[in-house]
């Protein structure tokens, strides 16, 4: 894993990776302790239920998300956020299309593997 991103990243120049299923991801910065990622959802796209060892905070930039954490479902809209504890089952469906900002601690190593 790379230890750190560049100190300054331009949103217009930073790669947006197509991760399939109507989802795209843009790395916004990371080091060995923290990572921020912008996630783009096409209309109807789903971030399937999964769990990982990382603490995660998610912030909704645009769109409507039906977010599930450990079986509890909430509708989240712009300005809303949620905390996902380590190992919690979570996922989201985006009926409108939208954008999330995800932060992880520690960073998601699997996002940096090539």
């Amino acid at each position: 894993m790379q230890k750190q991103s560049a100190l300054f990243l331009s949103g217009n120049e930073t790669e947006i990776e197509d991760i399939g299923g109507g989802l795209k991801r843009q790395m916004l910065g990371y080091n060995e302790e923290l990572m921020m990622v912008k996630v783009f959802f096409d209309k109807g796209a789903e971030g399937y239920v999964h769990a990982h060892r990382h603490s995660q905070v998610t912030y909704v930039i645009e769109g409507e998300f039906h977010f599930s954490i450990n079986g509890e479902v909430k509708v989240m809209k712009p300005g809303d956020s949620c905390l996902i504890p380590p190992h919690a089952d979570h996922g989201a469906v985006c009926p409108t299309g939208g954008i999330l900002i995800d932060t992880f601690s520690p960073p998601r190593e699997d996002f940096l593997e090539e």
Side-chain angles (χ1 to χ4, degrees), residues 72-86:
E72 181 178 357
V73 178
K74 296 281 185 184
V75 175
M76 296 177 57
K77 296 184 178 183
D80 294 344
S81 61
C82 62
L83 169 69
I84 302 160

Side-chain angles (χ1 to χ4, degrees), residues 1-55:
M1 176 174 98
Q2 295 175 332
K3 300 215 184 262
Q4 180 173 303
S5 67
L7 296 179
F8 298 96
L9 298 168
S10 170
N12 294 336
E13 297 173 6
T14 303
E15 177 186 2
I16 298 174
E17 176 187 7
D18 188 337
I19 56 177
L23 300 173
K24 294 183 176 105
R25 166 171 72 211
Q26 184 180 40
M27 304 301 291
L28 299 180
Y30 60 89
N31 64 16
E32 292 181 349
E33 298 175 4
L34 181 66
M35 174 182 279
M36 182 181 286
V37 180
K38 190 175 194 178
V39 185
F40 303 84
F41 282 68
D42 289 345
K43 183 177 181 178
E46 180 175 354
Y48 293 100
V49 174
H50 64 287
H52 45 73
R53 69 182 186 91
H54 313 81
S55 293

